[in-house]
Amino acid sequence: MELQIEVSRVLGYDEILRTMVFILLPYNPREHRHPNVSNSPTSQETLTKWYQDCLGNHAECRSLFDWPYIPHRLIDIGEPGHRWGGTQPLQLLMHNMAQLKEGISRQSLPRVFSDAIAICWQLGIRYLWIDSLCICQDSEEDWNRESGLMGIIYTQAIINIAATAAVNSDGSLFSSMGGNPSVGLISWGVVPGREYIVVENNLEWAKGFSHQPLLRRAWVMQERLLATRMIHFAGSELIWECRTLTATESYPVQVPSVLRSFHERRNRFWKTDFTEDDGAWSVLIQDYSKCELTFSKDKLVALSGLVSILNSRGLSRGRFFVGITWEMVRPSNQRAPSWSWASLDCPVW
């Protein structure tokens, strides 16, 4: 049974002080453990266990495509401890392509890229795809070709690493790790002799997660929806998402049912028949329209991978445009018909 109660002081976990509505769940040690977030920057044991368990035991967590796909460019990170040579500008450009093929200095990479390399080494992954280093940033022809393939890349990747709490690439995957998530193990006088897990209600959970910097970016929405499995370095702990499981360091087996619904929206993409459910596409567009773009011209491009996958599943082209009424200042560049949601830079409903 799940009870919603008012808790002003949560005991048993670092004396967490909160005044808000929490969800009280009976404690089952087979499903949960007493929160004890590792101060290790990578939380290696938990991440490796999720990853290996998913690869070995999750029948649903397979690529959408049966055939292998290799992007036109990949970064060969070698074995752990492998030393790279040369120098590294932050982006792949036409004039430095040959230079980067000779070698990349890890020390000159943005911190978050270097951290991603460490994660790949930990999981036994040798090849890494990063858009700014694998798509030529000053070639319109290269960008148009490669950006159209992002949907396949995200879907075919063995894992997507998300710097969810980082503001930009100069931050670290690990800088915010080791904090205290708002969850506690308590006893309740009304039912003596029992212990309970106390977590935030699902609305607060969803808001705290979805408002993190990375998830406000429009480009990341299709990446999260299309990824077979994704690890978030988010706030105080790791969050794992795949098509079978959502787990955190506080809930390494799986998150409680009251928190699961938000993450299940990610998997709705794979389980919904979009040809029959117009509402599913509307909800997707509502979420997308709340996200931010550095360049407004990317409004449709940043969703193109998702659209390509939906096309392959039989969704007709006409269903992509939802007619709505609004009063809003329009962007200066015309990228879509005036009646389309894609012509605006604002949340839509």
Side-chain angles (χ1 to χ4, degrees):
M1 181 177 65
E2 300 177 1
L3 303 175
Q4 194 170 45
I5 63 173
E6 187 77 19
V7 178
S8 59
R9 183 174 176 82
V10 183
L11 304 178
Y13 182 46
D14 294 340
E15 299 292 311
I16 301 174
L17 302 177
R18 300 295 294 268
T19 304
M20 61 174 292
V21 175
F22 282 80
I23 304 296
L24 182 66
L25 305 175
Y27 174 63
N28 184 344
R30 292 176 299 177
E31 296 182 357
H32 310 299
R33 72 180 181 200
H34 179 58
N36 183 23
V37 178
S38 171
N39 288 324
S40 169
T42 57
S43 302
Q44 294 182 2
E45 181 180 349
T46 301
L47 171 55
T48 302
K49 183 179 183 301
W50 286 331
Y51 176 71
Q52 293 178 347
D53 185 52
C54 183
L55 289 180
N57 301 314
H58 293 175
E60 292 186 5
C61 296
R62 296 192 180 101
S63 171
L64 182 68
F65 306 102
D66 294 330
W67 43 268
Y69 175 79
I70 299 176
H72 292 136
R73 303 183 188 97
L74 284 169
I75 304 169
D76 182 357
I77 63 175
E79 302 297 330
H82 176 73
R83 184 175 181 178
W84 297 1
T87 59
Q88 161 61 27
L90 299 183
Q91 296 180 333
L92 172 64
L93 303 171
M94 292 296 293
H95 71 83
N96 64 24
M97 188 177 299
Q99 178 185 356
L100 297 189
K101 288 180 180 179
E102 294 297 322
I104 300 174
S105 170
R106 184 181 175 190
Q107 289 73 23
S108 59
L109 287 171
R111 177 67 184 276
V112 74
F113 293 0
S114 181
D115 290 346
I117 292 169
I119 296 299
C120 289
W121 280 341
Q122 175 191 328
L123 299 178
I125 297 170
R126 178 161 182 170
Y127 297 98
L128 178 64
W129 187 89
I130 300 175
D131 57 357
S132 63
L133 295 177
C134 295
I135 300 179
C136 198
Q137 302 296 303
D138 59 352
S139 168
E140 184 175 355
E141 178 184 358
D142 196 71
W143 171 257
N144 289 337
R145 181 183 66 248
E146 297 298 317
S147 62
L149 297 171
M150 282 186 178
I152 300 176
I153 292 172
Y154 295 144
T155 305
Q156 293 283 63
I158 196 166
I159 189 172
N160 289 48
I161 301 170
T164 308
V167 177
N168 53 48
S169 61
D170 293 326
S172 171
L173 290 178
F174 313 131
S175 60
S176 60
M177 302 302 294
N180 295 330
S182 53
V183 58
L185 179 64
I186 69 168
S187 58
W188 190 28
V190 177
V191 186
R194 295 287 302 276
E195 289 184 314
Y196 296 86
I197 285 286
V198 178
V199 299
E200 292 180 271
N201 67 39
N202 55 341
L203 295 178
E204 291 297 323
W205 172 275
K207 184 171 66 175
F209 182 64
S210 61
H211 286 190
Q212 295 201 45
L214 186 70
L215 297 183
R216 295 200 300 264
R217 294 180 55 198
W219 276 102
V220 176
M221 180 173 172
Q222 67 172 359
E223 177 180 355
R224 182 171 175 240
L225 289 176
L226 293 175
T228 303
R229 54 190 66 85
M230 195 163 189
I231 182 67
H232 296 270
F233 288 79
S236 61
E237 59 182 342
L238 298 178
I239 296 178
W240 171 272
E241 290 182 318
C242 65
R243 296 177 197 166
T244 303
L245 173 71
T246 299
T248 71
E249 289 184 270
S250 296
Y251 301 106
V253 177
Q254 66 177 5
V255 298
S257 58
V258 292
L259 304 181
R260 213 171 299 153
S261 60
F262 172 74
H263 294 277
E264 284 300 317
R265 292 181 67 177
R266 170 188 180 273
N267 291 331
R268 182 183 180 184
F269 174 77
W270 299 104
K271 298 175 181 178
T272 298
D273 184 352
F274 280 78
T275 62
E276 301 294 334
D277 186 358
D278 281 330
W281 175 252
S282 298
V283 170
L284 190 152
I285 291 304
Q286 288 180 46
D287 291 342
Y288 181 71
S289 68
K290 298 172 187 176
C291 297
E292 302 167 356
L293 281 165
T294 303
F295 303 105
S296 64
K297 64 181 176 61
D298 292 339
K299 189 83 168 185
L300 294 176
V301 181
L303 201 63
S304 61
L306 207 57
V307 172
S308 296
I309 299 299
L310 288 174
N311 267 330
S312 70
R313 296 175 61 193
L315 184 60
S316 66
R317 189 176 184 86
R319 289 177 183 257
F320 292 134
F321 296 96
V322 180
I324 56 176
T325 303
W326 60 75
E327 182 177 352
M328 182 61 61
V329 176
R330 300 186 184 281
S332 57
N333 62 311
Q334 183 177 355
R335 58 175 177 245
S338 61
W339 45 263
S340 167
W341 58 267
S343 67
L344 296 178
D345 292 324
C346 67
V348 302
W349 177 82

